[in-house]
């Protein structure tokens, strides 16, 4: 899963350690950016890891679910996914 964080008040993505899905090296452990950007990245990582996702070390925005190999690859927009309660 590729994702980032958004500011709910503005609807804009928050500033992260690099742009999303960039082609330059974006390794999660070697990025040298301002502390606010690193804090956002750490927040995203903690939230995803709490739900059993693991980070793909080459891309800060990419996470795999714990048993991802059991599922087919999907590409569905969030607005097409029904919410269940």
């Amino acid at each position: 899963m590729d994702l980032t964080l958004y500011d709910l008040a503005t609807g804009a993505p928050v500033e992260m350690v690099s742009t999303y899905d960039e082609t330059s090296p974006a390794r999660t452990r070697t990025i040298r950016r301002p502390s606010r950007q690193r804090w956002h990245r750490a927040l995203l990582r903690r939230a995803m890891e709490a739900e059993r996702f693991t980070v793909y070390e080459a891309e800060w925005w990419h996470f795999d679910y714990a048993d991802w190999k059991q599922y087919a690859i999907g590409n569905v927009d969030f607005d097409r996914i029904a919410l269940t309660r």
Side-chain angles (χ1 to χ4, degrees):
M1 172 184 295
D2 290 353
L3 69 148
T4 191
L5 297 175
Y6 278 76
D7 182 328
L8 294 178
T10 65
V14 300
E15 189 174 5
M16 297 297 266
V17 294
S18 69
T19 58
Y20 170 79
D21 224 7
E22 68 176 50
T23 56
S24 67
R27 303 225 184 267
T28 60
R29 296 184 192 278
T30 60
I31 296 170
R32 302 286 182 249
R33 295 287 189 244
S35 62
R36 185 75 171 161
Q37 294 170 342
R38 290 192 317 269
W39 185 86
H40 288 147
R41 170 65 184 109
L43 175 65
L44 176 61
R45 185 172 183 158
R46 283 191 313 271
M48 295 302 290
E49 288 175 339
E51 298 300 326
R52 299 183 58 217
F53 284 84
T54 58
V55 67
Y56 173 56
E57 292 295 336
E59 301 173 345
W60 64 261
W61 57 83
H62 184 99
F63 294 85
D64 293 314
Y65 192 62
D67 54 357
W68 65 271
K69 292 181 181 182
Q70 297 179 23
Y71 302 96
I73 294 174
N75 191 12
V76 179
D77 293 335
F78 282 116
D79 60 356
R80 296 188 59 215
I81 299 173
L83 295 177
T84 58
R85 297 196 187 265

